[in-house]
Amino acid sequence: MSVAPHLHLPPTDRVLSSRTGWTRAHWEATADRMLDALTPYATPGFAQYRLPGRGSWSGVVSDGLEGFARSFLLAACRIAGAGGAVDPALTERYAAGLAAGTDAASGEAWPRLTDCSQQMVEAASIAVALHETRPWIWDRLDARVQERVVDWFSGFVGGRTWDNNWRLFQVVSEQFLASVGAPYSASDIEEGLDRIEDWYVGDGWYTDGDGRNFDYYIGWAMHLYPLLWARIAGPGGDGGRAEAYRQRLSRFLEDYPHFFGADGAPVHQGRSLTYRFAALTPVWMGALADCTPLAPGLTRRLASGTLRHFAERGVPDERGLLTLGWYDTFLPSTQPYSGPASPYWASKGFLGLLLPPDHEVWTARELPLPVEESDTYTALPAPGWLLHGTRHDGIVRLVNHGSDHNPPAPDSADTDAGADPDLGAGEVDPHYAKFAYSTATAPESAPHALARDVDGHLALLALDGTPSRRRRIHPLRCEDRVASSWSAARLPGDERAYRIETTSVLHGPWEIRVHRVEAPEGAVVREGGHAVADAQSPFASSAPGWALARTADGLSSALVALYGWDGGVDGSAVARDVESNAYGPHSAVPYLRSAPHAGGRSVHVSLVVLSRDSIHPEALRAAVRVRVDGDAVALTFLDGRTVEA
């Protein structure tokens, strides 16, 4: 693909950047285009940027503040990274916005900081931006404006935030108050930093609040803000905490490159995906904090590859704006708190501009991503994930046996078979509930598609076709190329919770799923593969025992029955939908169905394929020999490898 001409980028440099062609100049040009594009949407005093698009539940004024704060973070990276040598109008706009936003008589004043208000999120971006641009903006503000800014930030002191990554917004904002000699609460900072210790689960991983909340917030919030806090606190001001944060981020980054496909796409999983290249935040933070285990050439190749990936697909758009979606506008992949300026948390993905131009991440030659060098298999026991990359097509797949974005299960649910394991579980989110995600696909997420819940899911179907849901996930195992978990299935009108236990085994380019299913008599078991989406309707084909969908550019998703699927001619098919997928308006999902269940327990084994290779489902049925002996299942592959599931 070619990068959209409206970005006005410099020529590529294939000597320094053999993989992407991008240099620091490309990053600066992209940042400049994004910042310039915002000016037509500024209020007269530049305190708010009221962008086109669906408003959030916080209202138009809060959305306008969001536009200022998140773009100020991008401007700060540009200003500080250039040592202030930018168009003076850029610093003047944000200095003027600070004056107007904190002036109650301006007509565009920001809402006061109140407990758990959206303003807390935006204040943290402003605090970080003010710290990074201190010589060029804060130090030059009129003393009365400084006093008003401090007064606005003081709403944090003693305030209450949501008990998740929001605790860190208070930490960095009050540390900024401390850095300018303003009143603050040391206990607010200490308590916030102490609280994230409860959420550290090892191997560089946090959960975002109580429960199993694993997604990109771990990188762009849980690792980011503690180290930004340390930058504001300064040498010797961190009480020794920063070294632990640096060690954790270093460990996290050892595995992180495995989340990115050869085309630069990040795995499409979790909420707030409209922040897009904010996924690069921990990569740049590792370099800024001098704690990255990644070679400088790998850091830039990963970061430039991802930014270019989106630029090649129209991000930012022809106006220079980031829209609510992934590539194009796609509201089902957003949340109610997402306003038209929410995507500008992507500004975190530009933290690398804070590094000087002669830093080795900008001067070293690019190195290949892991998936560009070999097939990769990465077990991540903390979140309960397997990552699986294939060199020949550059796709990375994430197999999910651990992240569900639900509150913790009651203490008795893991041990007491009579307890309801879904007690307290929330609504099903397709960005967490699926068995598999990838760099080439997105889950079906529009409301009409969620009602059917076909892709990436094994469901019990009631007589009226209503599917059971995968809500709370209980991890059992995650090592080498095998992961397993169980969840409870509920059907309408049936008070019982049926246990579904699944083991995923990776072999070559495939995932083999072994399901042990409890079901009532008459229920039907249905499993769906990856959803593929495109501008055109995907090709579909099926026969007894397999189903396949393929896009025009050759991305294929297939599901092959290996054991326990006896649905006959109606047992395999492809479900189609429109306007339900972030990757394109036409989507398709291969699926398998069983005959009506006899009641009790059953075993079902399927082979899941997502590939740009040609796929021959009938041949794949002979690729794995399955032996079932009671609850024990043995998988034997053509190379002689046997795995007990």
Side-chain angles (χ1 to χ4, degrees):
M1 291 185 174
S2 59
V3 177
H6 63 265
L7 287 178
H8 305 296
L9 298 175
T12 56
D13 183 340
R14 291 292 177 178
V15 175
L16 181 64
S17 303
S18 61
R19 302 277 171 167
T20 69
W22 278 37
T23 65
R24 182 185 177 98
H26 292 79
W27 283 79
E28 292 174 340
T30 303
D32 289 344
R33 172 58 180 148
M34 290 170 59
L35 289 166
D36 290 345
L38 294 171
T39 55
Y41 305 97
T43 50
F46 294 100
Q48 299 178 34
Y49 289 89
R50 297 187 175 183
L51 303 181
R54 185 203 66 192
S56 77
W57 59 14
S58 297
V60 65
V61 176
S62 176
D63 289 350
L65 164 62
E66 189 171 63
F68 175 89
R70 300 190 180 199
S71 65
F72 187 20
L73 188 57
L74 176 60
C77 293
R78 187 70 179 93
I79 294 166
V86 295
D87 184 344
L90 182 61
T91 54
E92 291 166 4
R93 285 203 302 269
Y94 284 93
L98 289 162
T102 56
D103 181 359
S106 70
E108 50 191 283
W110 303 331
R112 300 291 298 178
L113 291 170
T114 55
D115 288 354
C116 299
S117 63
Q118 181 65 31
Q119 296 87 270
M120 288 183 161
V121 185
E122 312 319 323
S125 291
I126 295 173
V128 172
L130 282 171
H131 172 74
E132 298 295 344
T133 60
R134 190 175 302 235
W136 306 284
I137 294 182
W138 175 261
D139 291 347
R140 299 180 183 182
L141 290 177
D142 182 271
R144 291 170 298 177
V145 176
Q146 289 182 338
E147 290 173 3
R148 294 203 306 265
V149 172
V150 165
D151 179 63
W152 185 72
F153 272 111
S154 69
F156 260 122
V157 180
R160 181 174 64 88
T161 74
W162 297 117
D163 196 31
N164 54 17
N165 69 86
W166 280 47
R167 299 292 291 262
L168 296 170
F169 304 148
Q170 185 172 34
V171 166
V172 297
S173 296
E174 292 203 45
Q175 191 62 52
F176 173 74
L177 287 174
S179 75
V180 297
Y184 72 101
S185 169
S187 63
D188 283 351
I189 295 173
E190 292 296 314
E191 289 170 8
L193 294 174
D194 287 344
R195 183 64 173 122
I196 70 170
E197 297 302 311
D198 298 331
W199 300 326
Y200 185 67
V201 296
D203 293 338
W205 284 88
Y206 294 87
T207 175
D208 182 13
D210 293 335
R212 299 192 60 82
N213 305 313
F214 301 107
D215 52 28
Y216 286 110
Y217 274 84
I218 310 310
W220 65 44
M222 305 305 294
H223 279 297
L224 172 68
Y225 289 106
L227 285 166
L228 289 176
W229 164 77
R231 283 172 69 86
I232 300 172
D238 61 16
R241 291 182 185 264
E243 183 54 32
Y245 302 148
R246 293 173 74 252
Q247 291 176 5
R248 292 172 185 176
L249 177 55
S250 179
R251 175 64 187 89
F252 179 79
L253 289 173
E254 289 179 19
D255 299 318
Y256 199 59
H258 294 274
F259 282 83
F260 295 81
D263 63 355
V267 169
H268 193 95
Q269 180 273 340
R271 74 192 193 283
S272 300
L273 290 170
T274 192
Y275 302 158
R276 298 176 174 100
F277 33 84
L280 300 172
T281 304
V283 178
W284 286 127
M285 194 69 240
L288 277 170
D290 193 24
C291 63
T292 182
L294 309 181
L298 177 57
T299 293
R300 193 177 75 258
R301 187 269 173 271
L302 193 163
S304 292
T306 297
L307 188 61
R308 176 165 182 155
H309 173 86
F310 284 101
E312 288 175 335
R313 290 157 179 81
V315 181
D317 69 9
E318 68 282 356
R319 301 166 296 178
L321 300 180
L322 301 180
T323 60
L324 283 165
W326 184 244
Y327 300 134
D328 299 326
T329 299
F330 185 71
L331 296 181
S333 67
T334 65
Q335 285 68 43
Y337 57 71
S338 301
S342 288
Y344 285 82
W345 244 27
S347 298
K348 296 177 179 184
F350 285 82
L351 284 176
L353 290 179
L354 294 175
L355 296 164
D358 61 355
H359 191 282
E360 56 187 349
V361 299
W362 294 118
T363 60
R365 290 191 175 186
E366 285 184 346
L367 297 175
L369 291 171
V371 74
E372 292 179 299
E373 293 191 294
S374 65
D375 291 354
T376 61
Y377 305 90
T378 308
L380 301 173
W385 287 343
L386 298 177
L387 290 173
H388 176 207
T390 42
R391 181 176 180 272
H392 66 274
D393 57 14
I395 296 173
V396 172
R397 305 152 194 82
L398 184 155
V399 180
N400 176 31
H401 286 279
S403 183
D404 57 21
H405 197 54
N406 271 296
D411 291 339
S412 63
D414 290 327
T415 57
D416 182 359
D420 185 348
D422 270 348
L423 185 65
E427 294 298 316
V428 174
D429 187 330
H431 297 95
Y432 296 90
K434 305 300 184 182
F435 277 115
Y437 300 90
S438 85
T439 58
T441 62
E444 301 281 79
S445 53
H448 59 273
L450 290 179
R452 295 194 294 168
D453 201 8
V454 179
D455 63 302
H457 179 44
L458 184 123
L460 301 183
L461 302 183
L463 294 178
D464 64 356
T466 301
S468 64
R469 306 294 190 178
R470 190 187 189 211
R471 286 187 167 86
R472 188 173 283 117
I473 299 171
H474 304 263
L476 296 171
R477 176 186 181 190
C478 184
E479 57 187 356
D480 191 24
R481 302 183 188 184
V482 181
S484 59
S485 63
W486 71 273
S487 59
R490 303 294 296 267
L491 292 172
D494 189 339
E495 296 182 356
R496 182 176 173 183
Y498 297 93
R499 179 172 171 129
I500 296 177
E501 184 174 322
T502 299
T503 296
S504 294
V505 178
L506 302 182
H507 184 84
W510 313 318
E511 176 195 354
I512 294 86
R513 293 184 195 149
V514 179
H515 307 281
R516 184 175 66 183
V517 176
E518 292 180 351
E521 183 179 358
V524 169
V525 181
R526 184 194 66 196
E527 179 169 24
H530 290 268
V532 294
D534 201 359
Q536 308 169 41
S537 184
F539 166 82
S541 181
S542 62
W546 62 268
L548 177 147
R550 184 174 63 247
T551 63
D553 66 356
L555 177 65
S556 296
S557 171
L559 198 59
V560 180
L562 298 180
Y563 182 91
W565 298 99
D566 53 358
V569 294
D570 297 324
S572 53
V574 174
R576 296 184 180 276
D577 220 319
V578 293
E579 303 295 350
S580 63
N581 196 288
Y583 272 68
H586 298 276
S587 54
V589 183
Y591 68 88
L592 302 172
R593 286 169 53 108
S594 75
H597 207 280
R601 286 184 176 180
S602 60
V603 172
H604 306 263
V605 184
S606 52
L607 187 149
V608 183
V609 185
L610 178 69
S611 180
R612 296 192 187 279
D613 274 350
S614 296
I615 296 175
H616 304 281
E618 287 288 357
L620 287 175
R621 297 183 72 178
V624 187
R625 188 169 76 251
V626 180
R627 180 171 53 84
V628 179
D629 183 8
D631 282 343
V633 178
L635 307 176
T636 302
F637 300 95
L638 292 176
D639 61 4
R641 179 187 178 214
T642 297
V643 177
E644 300 283 344

